[in-house]
C-alpha cells in the first residue's frame, strides 16, 4: 500500500462513506476533503468534517499506518496541531498532537472497493515502459487528449525555466536570451555546452555594428569560439586578422577553448564549424532575434531567417580546409523544427509568464502544431500501443507524459491512469 494511493482515495472520496466512525467510535461525516497541499505540512488544507455533531475546519494528514505519525515526527511539530483528522489504512497506534491532544482517526482498510486496489497494483507493478500500455485502448480518446494537452503545457513551462534563468543572468535582455537558446539549439546535445558559452559571450551590439557583413560576423563568432587561435588555411587566417582588429579595439577574448568542441562521430553536417557558419548566416539577417520573433510571428518569415544561407565559404566547406562534395545550405528542416521546439516555443512561454499575457503561450502552442512530430524511441513506444503523434504538440506532450508520469509510475497523478484505476 502506498501513501499516494491513500491520497487519491481521500481526494476523490473513493471509499464507502456509510456509517463512518473514528477509531474512538464517534460518528464521522466528510463535508469537504479539502485541497491537496503540495508544500510542506499536512497533506490537505481547508478540510471540513463533522465529528459527533461538531463541525471542524482544518487540515487532514494521511498515512499508511497510524504509527507513521510518530515515525515522521509530527507529534513534536506544532505545524500539525491544526490537523482535525488522521486518515490511515491501518490503525496500530494512537496519534497525539504536539499539544498532547488525541487526533481523531479514520481507518480506510475494508472501505475501498477491491477493484481499485487491484487495478492500482496492476499498474505500479507493470514491467511495460508505459504501465497501462496493454489496456491503453480502453481509455476514452477525449481523456487521452486532455492529458496530453496538459503535459505539453507542463513541458513548456518546465523548459521555460531555462529561459527565465538566462533572463536573470542577462539582466532582462531578451535578445541575448534568444541568442543563447538558439546557439544551444544549433549545438544539438553533443556541442550544446560550448554553443551555450558562445551565446553568452556574443556581444549583440558589436554584431549589429557589422551591418550584416557575414564575414565580419564569422570572424567574431569563430574568434569567441576559440577556433582561430591556430588558424587552418587562408580563410581562417583572414578571419583571425579581423577578430584581432576587433580584439584590439574592444578587448575581446575567446570564450571557449578549441578542445571543448566535439567533432568525433559526428556527421559533417553537424560539425560545429559548419554550424557556426550557419549561425553567422542567421545573424547576417537579424542580430536582435527575440525582437524579430515578437515583431514578426509569421512562421514563413521565421523560417527564412533561421534557415538563411551561410557564406559562400561555408556553402562549400564543413570545416576549415575541408571542402564538401556538394553545396551546403543553411540549417535543414529538422534543425529548424528542433529550434522551434526547444528554443523558440519555451522562450515564448517564458515571455508570456513575465508579461502575464497568455497570447504568447498560445503562439508557442500554435507553432508546435505546425511542426512535424519528433521520431525517437519514446514516440515509437507510444506508436507501439496505438497512439501516433500528429505534430510536435502531440510528441512533446507524449515525451513529457512518458518521462514525468509513466517512467515514474505516477499513474495516480495521471488522468489516464486514474480512469483505468477507477474502471470496474
Amino acid at each position: 500500500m502506498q501513501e499516494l494511493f491513500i491520497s487519491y482515495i481521500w481526494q476523490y472520496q473513493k471509499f464507502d462513506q456509510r456509517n463512518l466512525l473514528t477509531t474512538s467510535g464517534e460518528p464521522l461525516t466528510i463535508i469537504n476533503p479539502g485541497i491537496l497541499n503540495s508544500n510542506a505540512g499536512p497533506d490537505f488544507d481547508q478540510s471540513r468534517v463533522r465529528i459527533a455533531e461538531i463541525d471542524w475546519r482544518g487540515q487532514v494528514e494521511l498515512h499508511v499506518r497510524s504509527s507513521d505519525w510518530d515515525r515522521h515526527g509530527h507529534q513534536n511539530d506544532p505545524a500539525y496541531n491544526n490537523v482535525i483528522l488522521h486518515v490511515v489504512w491501518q490503525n496500530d497506534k494512537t496519534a497525539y498532537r504536539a499539544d498532547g491532544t488525541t487526533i481523531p482517526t479514520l481507518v480506510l482498510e475494508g472501505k475501498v472497493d477491491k477493484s481499485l486496489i487491484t487495478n492500482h497494483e496492476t499498474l505500479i507493478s507493470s514491467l511495460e515502459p508505459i504501465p497501462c500500455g496493454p489496456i491503453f485502448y480502453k481509455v476514452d480518446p477525449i481523456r487521452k487528449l486532455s492529458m496530453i494537452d496538459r503535459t505539453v503545457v507542463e513541458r513548456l513551462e518546465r523548459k521555460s525555466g531555462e529561459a527565465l534563468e538566462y533572463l536573470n543572468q542577462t539582466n532582462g535582455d531578451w535578445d541575448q536570451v534568444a541568442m543563447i537558446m538558439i546557439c544551444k539549439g544549433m549545438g544539438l546535445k553533443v556541442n550544446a555546452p560550448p554553443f551555450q558559452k558562445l551565446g553568452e559571450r556574443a556581444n549583440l551590439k558589436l554584431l549589429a555594428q557589422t551591418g550584416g557583413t557575414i564575414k565580419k560576423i564569422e570572424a567574431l563568432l569563430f574568434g569567441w569560439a576559440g577556433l582561430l587561435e591556430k588558424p587552418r588555411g587562408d580563410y581562417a587566417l583572414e578571419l583571425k586578422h579581423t577578430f584581432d582588429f576587433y580584439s584590439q579595439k574592444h578587448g575581446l577574448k575567446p570564450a571557449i577553448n578549441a578542445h571543448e568542441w566535439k567533432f568525433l562521430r559526428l556527421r559533417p553536417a553537424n560539425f560545429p564549424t559548419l554550424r557556426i557558419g550557419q549561425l553567422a548566416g542567421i545573424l547576417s539577417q537579424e542580430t536582435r532575434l527575440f525582437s524579430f520573433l515578437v515583431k514578426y510571428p509569421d512562421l514563413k518569415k521565421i523560417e527564412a531567417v533561421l534557415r538563411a544561407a551561410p557564406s559562400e565559404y561555408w556553402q562549400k566547406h564543413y570545416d576549415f580546409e575541408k571542402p564538401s562534395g556538394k553545396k551546403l545550405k543553411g540549417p535543414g528542416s529538422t534543425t529548424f523544427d528542433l529550434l522551434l521546439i526547444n528554443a523558440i516555443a519555451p522562450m515564448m512561454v517564458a515571455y508570456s509568464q513575465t508579461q502575464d499575457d497568455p497570447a504568447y503561450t498560445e503562439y508557442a502552442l500554435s507553432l508546435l502544431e505546425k511542426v512535424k512530430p519528433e521520431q525517437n524511441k519514446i514516440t515509437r513506444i507510444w506508436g507501439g500501443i496505438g497512439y501516433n503523434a500528429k505534430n510536435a504538440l502531440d510528441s512533446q506532450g507524449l515525451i513529457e507524459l512518458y518521462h514525468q508520469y509513466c517512467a515514474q509510475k505516477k499513474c495516480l497523478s495521471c488522468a489516464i491512469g486514474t480512469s483505468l484505476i477507477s474502471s470496474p
Side-chain angles (χ1 to χ4, degrees), residues 16-31:
D16 187 355
Q17 297 185 44
R18 296 173 295 180
N19 303 316
L20 290 180
L21 298 173
T22 65
T23 53
S24 60
E26 296 175 302
L28 170 66
T29 301
I30 312 300
I31 301 173

Side-chain angles (χ1 to χ4, degrees), residues 296-313:
Y296 299 106
D298 180 75
L299 187 59
K300 289 184 178 180
K301 290 183 178 179
I302 295 173
E303 184 172 12
V305 170
L306 295 186
R307 296 189 66 186
S311 68
E312 185 177 351
Y313 185 86

Side-chain angles (χ1 to χ4, degrees), residues 84 128 138 156 211 238 248 265 312 317 342 400 410:
I84 58 174
E128 298 290 332
K138 294 182 178 181
L156 282 169
E238 185 180 349
Q248 292 174 7
R265 288 189 290 274
E312 185 177 351
H317 297 78
N342 297 318
E400 187 76 357
K410 292 173 65 176

Side-chain angles (χ1 to χ4, degrees), residues 183-201:
C183 276
K184 189 174 180 181
M186 291 290 287
L188 304 177
K189 288 185 178 180
V190 175
N191 281 301
F195 258 110
Q196 179 181 332
K197 288 183 182 180
L198 179 58
E200 291 170 345
R201 175 59 64 89

Side-chain angles (χ1 to χ4, degrees), residues 337-388:
D337 289 349
L338 289 174
L339 288 175
L340 289 177
I341 292 168
N342 297 318
I344 295 175
M347 190 163 46
M348 287 301 164
V349 172
Y351 189 66
S352 180
Q353 294 169 348
T354 61
Q355 301 300 304
D356 194 23
D357 187 346
Y360 294 99
T361 294
E362 293 298 324
Y363 170 47
L365 296 174
S366 71
L367 285 178
L368 295 181
E369 280 186 312
K370 298 172 184 175
V371 176
K372 291 183 294 186
E374 296 112 303
Q375 299 296 326
N376 54 38
K377 178 182 177 181
I378 295 172
T379 57
R380 286 192 289 273
I381 289 173
W382 283 106
I385 63 170
Y387 203 97
N388 294 295

Side-chain angles (χ1 to χ4, degrees), residues 80-219:
Y80 287 78
N81 277 347
N82 196 34
V83 171
I84 58 174
L85 186 66
H86 192 200
V87 179
V88 302
W89 190 255
Q90 295 176 340
N91 181 44
D92 61 350
K93 187 177 182 181
T94 301
Y96 297 93
R97 301 182 184 90
D99 60 9
T101 55
T102 304
I103 305 171
T105 301
L106 170 65
V107 179
L108 292 180
E109 187 177 26
K111 295 179 175 63
V112 178
D113 193 300
K114 290 183 178 179
S115 66
L116 284 177
I117 302 172
T118 301
N119 291 342
H120 174 244
E121 290 178 347
T122 298
L123 288 182
I124 64 172
S125 62
S126 173
L127 299 179
E128 298 290 332
I130 297 173
C132 66
I135 52 175
F136 186 74
Y137 69 92
K138 294 182 178 181
V139 181
D140 181 78
I142 295 177
R143 188 176 291 271
K144 295 176 184 176
L145 184 61
S146 174
M147 187 61 194
I148 294 167
D149 285 346
R150 173 180 139 192
T151 53
V152 74
V153 172
E154 289 176 359
R155 185 171 181 81
L156 282 169
E157 289 179 343
R158 184 169 57 80
K159 291 171 73 173
S160 71
E162 183 180 33
L164 294 173
E165 287 180 12
Y166 295 146
L167 186 67
N168 184 55
Q169 293 172 16
T170 61
N171 296 316
D173 189 337
W174 278 106
D175 285 319
Q176 195 72 49
V177 172
M179 181 68 182
I180 296 169
M181 294 195 71
I182 288 174
C183 276
K184 189 174 180 181
M186 291 290 287
L188 304 177
K189 288 185 178 180
V190 175
N191 281 301
F195 258 110
Q196 179 181 332
K197 288 183 182 180
L198 179 58
E200 291 170 345
R201 175 59 64 89
N203 185 319
L204 297 184
K205 290 182 179 179
L206 195 55
L207 286 167
Q209 289 174 14
T210 64
T213 305
I214 197 166
K215 189 173 286 190
K216 291 181 179 179
I217 294 173
E218 286 180 9

